[in-house]
Amino acid sequence: MFFRQYLHMNLVAVSYLFGCTGKAMGAVVDPIEDVDFYIQEAKRAGLEIQYVLDTHVHADHISVARELAQGTGAKLALYAQAPATYAFTPVEDGEQIILGNTVIEVMHTPGHTPEHMSLLVTDHRRGPDPWFVLTGHTLMIGDIGRPDLVVEDGAKDLYHSIFDRMLALPDYLEVYPGAFSGST
């Protein structure tokens, strides 16, 4: 499995490219800034971008997910209740996206936004258990996503996402955030 984390210092945000190199199937999560960058990185890794996923739709960063999906022919996936006015592939809690030996499981983790999702990733070449979780803006380095930006019950939802969902995950999982502390 190929896995790469990209730190974007101008927006203090994080995006990811990963996938199954054996089947040349990849995904990009929370892309920002330059579409061509992700296309070139995928080519270098020997991956064809099959999915582009945004963990949430919110003005805390400007996503290039639509443009990347259009430019590569990939599916643009958002949580089913995302308030997007453009076409996307809706995904639900517990749904799996299969990219060869790499499996992405959708976890609905509302709070920062109502439609926020985290992604639990398993590399079946490595073993049957999940390897890491991409938390978007649910968990960040030294912080959590702000729950007061979108909905009234955001704090309660974020509490349950962290304490009922995230803390229930196995201790061995690697945790990868979507932003640096204080960025949203």
Side-chain angles (χ1 to χ4, degrees), residues 2-165:
F2 177 86
F3 175 75
R4 188 78 76 225
Q5 177 186 63
Y6 303 104
L7 305 177
H8 304 280
M9 302 310 284
N10 289 340
L11 300 169
V12 292
V14 185
S15 61
Y16 298 90
L17 168 65
F18 63 93
C20 175
T21 54
K23 304 286 184 183
M25 302 172 77
V28 176
V29 176
D30 290 337
I32 60 173
E33 297 178 347
D34 183 10
V35 169
D36 291 330
F37 171 77
Y38 297 100
I39 293 170
Q40 292 306 314
E41 287 290 294
K43 281 183 185 175
R44 268 194 284 276
L47 296 174
E48 182 179 321
I49 300 171
Q50 303 287 313
Y51 278 86
V52 179
L53 301 102
D54 266 337
T55 55
H56 62 296
V57 289
H58 189 322
D60 52 4
H61 64 271
I62 298 173
S63 172
V64 295
R66 283 190 297 170
E67 293 85 354
L68 182 57
Q70 290 169 352
T72 60
K75 291 182 180 178
L76 171 60
L78 303 172
Y79 196 73
Q81 285 74 39
T85 57
Y86 47 86
F88 64 91
T89 299
V91 293
E92 296 278 356
D93 188 62
E95 187 172 334
Q96 293 186 340
I97 297 170
I98 299 175
L99 301 169
N101 294 309
T102 302
V103 177
I104 305 166
E105 182 178 334
V106 174
M107 290 179 53
H108 186 213
T109 51
H112 180 58
T113 62
E115 82 290 348
H116 194 287
M117 64 180 176
S118 297
L119 305 168
L120 190 60
V121 180
T122 301
D123 173 13
H124 284 287
R125 298 274 309 202
R126 184 180 171 124
D129 298 320
W131 171 12
F132 60 86
V133 62
L134 303 177
T135 67
H137 291 188
T138 295
L139 299 177
M140 299 185 292
I141 297 171
D143 209 347
I144 59 174
R146 287 184 59 186
D148 61 327
L149 299 175
V150 181
V151 292
E152 185 175 316
D153 288 333
K156 180 178 76 172
D157 291 341
L158 185 60
Y159 177 90
H160 291 296
S161 290
I162 292 170
F163 287 95
D164 297 342
R165 302 294 313 265

